[in-house]
Amino acid sequence: MKLIAESPYMEPAPASAARGNALGPFPPERIPKNPVLSGASFGARPGAAAPCVLDAGEVRYVNRGCMAIGLALAHAGVGAGDEVLLPAYHCISMVEPVIWRRARPVFFRIREDTSIDLDDLGARISARSRALLAPHYFGFPQDMPALRAFCDARGLLLIEDCAHAFFGAVAGKPVGAWGDYAVASVWKFFPVFDGGVLASSRRKLEGLGLRGGGAWFQAKALVNTLEMAFEYRRLGFARALLAAPLRLKDHALRGARRGAAAGAPPEVALSCALGGWGFDPQRLATRMSLSARAITRFASRTRIVQARRDNYERLLEGLRGAPGCRPLFPSLPAQVVPQVFPLLVDAPEPAFSALKRAGVPIIRFGEYLWEGMDRSTCPVAEDLSRRVFQFPCHQELLSAELDWMIERVREALLPRVQSVPRPRVPAN
Ligand SMILES: Cc1ncc(COP(=O)(O)O)c(C=O)c1O
């Protein structure tokens, strides 16, 4: 973390972020926010495999998506004095790798449909601009031919951010194939603890110095994957079998923590999703764990694609006509495999806490925007970061869990009964 702290552009991450949410504390989530391992994870479904970022070119499995951004910038030689163009609608872990490179983040506007505003982007280019990070928000792709042409005309590197779009295609090419580099986040799509992808259709990914994590990291990745599954009542047989050893492990860890207040080695730090926070240069060279690689290799991709699309349609249907909201993307184009179901809510504040209190695994992308960004840069980003709620639509959700979530959302959005002052009874 030393390198980050030294950067002139660094702003501290909000302390509340590591605890989940500034409005907290909230009870644990009742259903899984991200895919958890189950017997069904490997069950094949008929149908052709969808294109994905692994088809984009050369591929390296890394620790997380944000590490892949850092590796892409380092590989391309982006460094001190350079500017990297980032969307004003972002999460902190997209900015931290830029800071680590001692480059300057320059934020640009997006439109209400989350597409990149090319006019605004063009106006922010300077002689120091080196790279553009372009995310396919929630799995819905940007206009990549236009962005490719834009970058080519200005000699900019294009980093295609597929953290929300592991699967899909744009204008006849797999996601990730348009960028000079592509980055992806494996744990958002597969039932694994860790994992990111760095891919390139244009460059040889050599000299990255990647190495496997140690035995402690491998064990932790596997145990965490299983524990996440057990927490949500999956893998019942394995749960019964491993209950006693896992209790022993918890007991031993509690003892070890008491003994070593300094905590675990950095390579086992938790991912954002599990309560950790952000980019960590010390894990930059760590490859994705062996268990995550095995699961990614053998999990049914046709199932992931179809189940996510089916669940998205179900959420569209279940929330049709719900008051005070509308889906950010009211239809699901053929080549899109959604990461989540984004819902645009008119009055976010009472509904957000009500849903958190009910244990609904809700995410608000951009809830914490980079503190160094001028907040007037993009009113749309400011608005979306408060009003777009994302609900899981991943392949491991059970039908009853989806129904439960839809019910809770409808309940939370019901117009609140206003306390109207009673008319005074006139005295005689
Ligand atoms: C758009 C986007 N890009 C990159 C990242 C970083 O991915 P990871 O969490 O795997 O580090 C995230 C994380 O949520 C993200 O939402």
Side-chain angles (χ1 to χ4, degrees), residues 165-338:
F166 196 93
F167 296 93
V170 194
K173 289 192 197 181
V175 282
W178 290 90
D180 294 280
Y181 297 92
V183 299
S185 191
V186 179
W187 59 267
K188 292 186 177 67
F189 283 83
F190 290 81
V192 293
F193 172 70
D194 62 312
V197 164
L198 173 66
S200 182
S201 59
R202 300 178 160 228
R203 299 190 176 209
K204 286 234 153 296
L205 294 178
E206 279 159 3
L208 293 169
L210 297 178
R211 51 179 159 67
W216 174 255
F217 168 69
Q218 303 295 351
K220 171 110 178 153
L222 175 61
V223 169
N224 273 290
T225 302
L226 293 173
E227 282 186 330
M228 289 297 288
F230 298 163
E231 197 174 322
Y232 291 101
R233 298 168 299 283
R234 271 66 170 181
L235 297 178
F237 180 67
R239 189 169 72 224
L241 212 63
L242 294 174
L246 286 176
R247 262 201 305 276
L248 262 180
K249 183 249 338 168
D250 285 344
H251 184 73
L253 270 184
R254 269 197 297 275
R257 276 202 197 109
R258 274 197 297 272
E267 65 172 12
V268 297
L270 291 173
S271 73
C272 272
L274 302 175
W277 184 257
F279 175 79
D280 181 354
Q282 295 187 61
R283 286 184 291 146
L284 201 67
T286 309
R287 283 205 186 91
M288 183 160 112
S289 68
L290 294 171
S291 52
R293 289 182 76 143
I295 293 168
T296 308
R297 164 82 180 74
F298 293 110
S300 164
R301 297 196 186 158
T302 46
R303 173 173 176 269
I304 295 175
V305 168
Q306 283 176 26
R308 281 177 178 261
R309 288 182 56 85
D310 291 351
N311 291 344
Y312 192 96
E313 295 286 3
R314 220 159 125 191
L315 281 156
L316 269 181
E317 189 52 42
L319 294 174
R320 198 179 302 285
C325 69
R326 66 179 167 81
L328 189 62
F329 299 100
S331 63
L332 191 57
Q335 296 281 9
V336 170
V337 180

Side-chain angles (χ1 to χ4, degrees), residues 63-69 87 89-95 97 133-138 161-165 183-188 194-197 271-273 278-279 339 363 365-366:
N63 190 247
R64 279 188 43 190
C66 57
M67 310 299 173
I69 298 175
Y89 190 39
H90 57 257
C91 63
I92 303 290
S93 57
M94 295 158 72
V95 189
L133 186 70
H136 300 306
Y137 293 106
F138 314 126
D161 185 340
C162 303
H164 298 179
V183 299
S185 191
V186 179
W187 59 267
K188 292 186 177 67
D194 62 312
V197 164
S271 73
C272 272
F279 175 79
Q339 183 227 348
I363 314 165
F365 180 80

Side-chain angles (χ1 to χ4, degrees), residues 25-51:
F26 294 109
E29 285 151 357
R30 302 271 301 270
I31 63 175
K33 181 185 271 173
N34 295 299
V36 287
L37 194 62
S38 74
S41 302
F42 303 101
R45 286 224 187 148

